[in-house]
Amino acid sequence: MKKILSLVLVSVLGGAITLGAYKTLIEEDQKVAIAPQQTTPVYIPTNSTVNTNNLAAMENVSFVTAAEKTVNAVVHVKNVTLGSKQITLQDLFSGRTQQRRQLGTGSGVIISPDGYIITNNHVIEGSEALSVTLNDNKTLEAKIIGSDPKTDIALLKIETDEDLPYTTFGDSDTVKIGEWVLAVGNPFNLTSTVTAGIISAKSRDLSGNANSSQSFLQTDAAVNPGNSGGALVNANGELIGINTAITSQTGSYVGYSFAVPSNIAKKVIQDIMEFGNVQNGILGIIPRSLDSGTAEKLGISETEGIYIEEVEEDSGAYIAGLQEGDIINKIDNIKIKKFSDLKGFLNTKSPNDVVSVSFLRKGYQKETNVTLLKNNTYNIPYIGKLKNAKPKDLRKAGTKFGVKLSQMTSNQIYSNYWYKNGIQPGDIITAINDTEVNSIDDVKNILKNSSEYDPFRIEIINSNGEKERHYFR
């Protein structure tokens, strides 16, 4: 009888724990989760060995060796942030603020013996205190060296007197669909967890936007909340991706996960260490991905590649002779089928890099070298894309300073407003938020120190040489 009661008690306790975990970890109203938090699943990368039946036996691929190389280099990242809770009547009467400390967890990968660690930006975002637990259970304070929200990559540093185990970078461009991969991380606070899968797809975009900058590796290695920032390695134990998110109806793994390719992650942290921010080289085109519907509208037969809608003045593409209507299908011998292929490639390149661009022009295959340039444009949703003005532009407007409006905003409400007021591309903006602007860097600094909820003021010289001031709130 005692044994039966013990079994019943264990069953009830197990059910309670399971229910509690479900309520804690899964949001019932979330239909599709693309995990942007350290407490939700992450993007997972894939490996670079061919996936066939009995591959490990045929090619002597050892997952044990790859796991041993990686598991000690993957750490548990703990992030303490200030969050808000629901306000009660008592709080209102007492005037108390409703902020409380919240603990988020994720993973990170040691990439140097002196303690540099790569992880996801969303793992460390908003941190008040940051700590890292090594695989030998030592916990150390960590500081943020830099981060890039666009690629969701961050670089941390811990101080230690001893050399640390670390993972070396592999070449994510050589990864092939069907290759084996291991995902190493800390799902559900279960430290040092290794799962295996294959590369399911490359250059995956999760936004649904044809011109999105996302370009992920997709894998079926099991990834769950806490894996964010962890390692995706190939059968040789080389880092080919940083696990970042999953697509799920429940918030937990259902078969697909995504990772930032290692070549992109490596470029980001190198830029952070050298410049303090990310330096991307651009082609200087306004691109459009092709499909059957787009090809029919354009009157062309190509359904893959990047159609050039416009070439930006003074850009690398402009100087190299690329033209509107050209269709880019390869860069440095890498096939470009859609925009995420192009963006994924460019995210690994820097200003002044020279790339070989293969393209179709009126049915003929051509090739040219393009020098990538620094992005000297900046987009403001209120008005559009701004660029540095040339001396002749300033002389024409009768001013000694300002930046040029090169392209109107795509927001129909704002663009209609500007056209009604006689503002058009080529006009010169001389001040933003009552601060004089001489370059795009000035614009970035002004807006960086402003909240999106602050009023927006702009001073502009229109095509008639008249100075106007406009105010938005």
Side-chain angles (χ1 to χ4, degrees):
M1 185 67 176
K2 291 182 178 180
K3 291 184 178 179
I4 294 173
L5 288 174
S6 297
L7 288 172
V8 171
L9 181 59
V10 169
S11 299
V12 172
L13 180 59
I17 292 172
T18 302
L19 179 60
Y22 179 87
K23 290 291 187 182
T24 302
L25 297 172
I26 299 176
E27 296 183 10
E28 295 177 353
D29 60 346
Q30 187 176 19
K31 295 182 179 180
V32 178
I34 299 177
Q37 306 162 341
Q38 55 269 45
T39 53
T40 55
V42 296
Y43 291 94
I44 303 175
T46 53
N47 78 335
S48 58
T49 56
V50 180
N51 176 33
T52 61
N53 293 332
N54 301 318
L55 175 66
M58 294 189 306
E59 300 291 344
N60 295 319
V61 175
S62 174
F63 293 142
V64 173
T65 301
E68 288 176 346
K69 284 183 177 181
T70 310
V71 71
N72 290 313
V74 174
V75 300
H76 197 187
V77 180
K78 295 181 181 178
N79 173 17
V80 177
T81 61
L82 280 179
S84 300
K85 63 180 180 180
Q86 188 173 357
I87 298 176
T88 65
L89 286 174
Q90 186 176 0
D91 294 328
L92 289 173
F93 285 121
S94 63
R96 289 183 300 198
T97 59
Q98 289 304 299
Q99 287 190 321
R100 61 178 179 180
R101 295 186 181 276
Q102 297 177 330
L103 176 65
T105 62
S107 303
V109 186
I110 304 173
I111 56 173
S112 69
D114 57 346
Y116 281 99
I117 295 171
I118 189 171
T119 185
N120 284 138
N121 175 70
H122 74 254
V123 170
I124 54 88
E125 191 172 22
S127 65
E128 280 219 326
L130 203 60
S131 65
V132 164
T133 301
L134 307 179
N135 201 39
D136 60 5
N137 294 323
K138 291 181 180 178
T139 298
L140 302 169
E141 289 186 3
K143 65 177 181 179
I144 300 172
I145 302 300
S147 63
D148 180 41
K150 288 184 178 179
T151 55
D152 201 9
I153 293 296
L155 182 64
L156 312 180
K157 181 71 166 63
I158 55 176
E159 300 297 336
T160 177
D161 295 331
E162 58 188 35
D163 286 348
L164 298 172
Y166 65 96
T167 298
T168 57
F169 282 94
D171 184 357
S172 56
D173 284 344
T174 63
V175 169
K176 297 187 182 301
I177 295 173
E179 293 183 356
W180 285 104
V181 64
L182 297 182
V184 185
N186 304 282
F188 303 119
N189 288 324
L190 301 173
T191 58
S192 305
T193 297
V194 180
T195 55
I198 62 167
I199 296 292
S200 304
K202 297 178 65 175
S203 300
R204 184 67 81 194
D205 165 38
L206 304 181
S207 71
N209 182 346
N211 289 332
S212 168
S213 61
Q214 299 187 39
S215 184
F216 296 111
L217 294 175
Q218 178 181 320
T219 179
D220 64 353
V223 172
N224 278 292
N227 271 112
S228 284
L232 187 72
V233 299
N234 60 24
N236 296 321
E238 298 169 327
L239 186 66
I240 59 166
I242 299 298
N243 300 333
T244 305
I246 66 172
T247 296
S248 173
Q249 293 181 328
T250 63
S252 294
Y253 173 77
V254 293
Y256 300 101
S257 51
F258 306 89
V260 177
S262 61
N263 287 2
I264 294 176
K266 183 179 180 181
K267 164 68 167 50
V268 169
I269 63 171
Q270 286 176 336
D271 281 357
I272 288 173
M273 294 177 73
E274 184 174 355
F275 306 107
N277 54 33
V278 179
Q279 305 278 315
N280 285 129
I282 64 166
L283 273 176
I285 64 170
I286 296 177
R288 185 171 182 178
S289 291
L290 291 175
D291 54 28
S292 295
T294 304
E296 185 177 353
K297 290 179 182 177
L298 295 172
I300 58 178
S301 59
E302 298 297 320
T303 58
E304 291 183 335
I306 297 297
Y307 181 87
I308 299 179
E309 289 196 322
E310 186 179 332
V311 179
E312 296 181 358
E313 184 183 10
D314 300 325
S315 67
Y318 180 88
I319 296 169
L322 288 174
Q323 300 175 7
E324 177 185 340
D326 290 346
I327 300 172
I328 298 174
N329 48 32
K330 280 186 182 180
I331 300 185
D332 282 355
N333 212 33
I334 294 175
K335 288 185 178 180
I336 305 296
K337 295 182 177 181
K338 54 188 182 296
F339 184 76
S340 55
D341 291 331
L342 175 64
K343 193 61 180 177
F345 175 85
L346 293 177
N347 280 345
T348 68
K349 297 299 179 181
S350 300
N352 299 319
D353 283 350
V354 179
V355 298
S356 174
V357 177
S358 298
F359 60 96
L360 282 172
R361 177 178 293 169
K362 297 180 180 179
Y364 293 95
Q365 188 70 41
K366 295 179 177 292
E367 187 173 340
T368 187
N369 289 330
V370 177
T371 300
L372 303 180
L373 301 181
K374 183 179 179 180
N375 184 12
N376 286 319
T377 65
Y378 191 78
N379 188 61
I380 300 178
Y382 286 116
I383 186 166
K385 184 179 290 186
L386 311 182
K387 64 182 296 186
N388 289 330
K390 295 180 179 180
K392 65 178 183 179
D393 297 323
L394 299 178
R395 286 195 299 269
K396 182 180 178 181
T399 180
K400 294 182 179 180
F401 58 89
V403 295
K404 184 178 179 180
L405 174 60
S406 65
Q407 184 180 337
M408 300 302 295
T409 177
S410 58
N411 184 304
Q412 198 66 38
I413 296 175
Y414 289 124
S415 63
N416 288 340
Y417 169 84
W418 292 116
Y419 282 123
K420 286 179 181 178
N421 283 276
I423 304 300
Q424 58 189 11
D427 291 350
I428 300 297
I429 293 169
T430 54
I432 294 176
N433 292 346
D434 303 323
T435 302
E436 180 182 302
V437 293
N438 290 279
S439 67
I440 291 301
D441 288 337
D442 290 342
V443 176
K444 291 178 181 178
N445 289 331
I446 292 169
L447 296 181
K448 182 175 64 175
N449 297 320
S450 302
S451 167
E452 61 178 315
Y453 302 107
D454 290 342
F456 179 79
R457 299 174 298 279
I458 189 169
E459 184 177 273
I460 188 168
I461 300 174
N462 64 26
S463 54
N464 295 323
E466 301 166 336
K467 183 176 290 187
E468 300 180 3
R469 291 178 177 85
H470 297 267
Y471 176 91
F472 298 92
R473 188 176 182 86

